[in-house]
Amino acid sequence: MLAFSYGISQVLFIKRHEDQVMAILTVLLFVGLAGSIIVIWKKRPQKQA
């Protein structure tokens, strides 16, 4: 994982646009987290009345 991260960080495009790439990755992280929470919330067992 570290080697992959280092290799990606050496890509010229990412070096030039590091702030934008980090912003996009942060947004994707939070979207994925929110999606996971929604899926878990919908799959929880319903209480019987």
Side-chain angles (χ1 to χ4, degrees), residues 18-32:
E18 185 176 357
D19 291 338
Q20 291 89 352
V21 170
M22 289 305 292
I24 290 169
L25 290 176
T26 303
V27 168
L28 289 175
L29 176 71
F30 282 111
V31 167

Side-chain angles (χ1 to χ4, degrees), residues 6-44:
Y6 179 75
I8 290 294
S9 71
Q10 297 305 310
V11 175
L12 190 58
F13 175 81
I14 293 177
K15 279 186 174 182
R16 288 185 181 168
H17 304 289
E18 185 176 357
D19 291 338
Q20 291 89 352
V21 170
M22 289 305 292
I24 290 169
L25 290 176
T26 303
V27 168
L28 289 175
L29 176 71
F30 282 111
V31 167
L33 180 64
S36 297
I37 291 171
I38 289 171
V39 167
I40 291 170
W41 189 272
K42 287 188 175 190
K43 288 192 177 252
R44 69 187 173 137

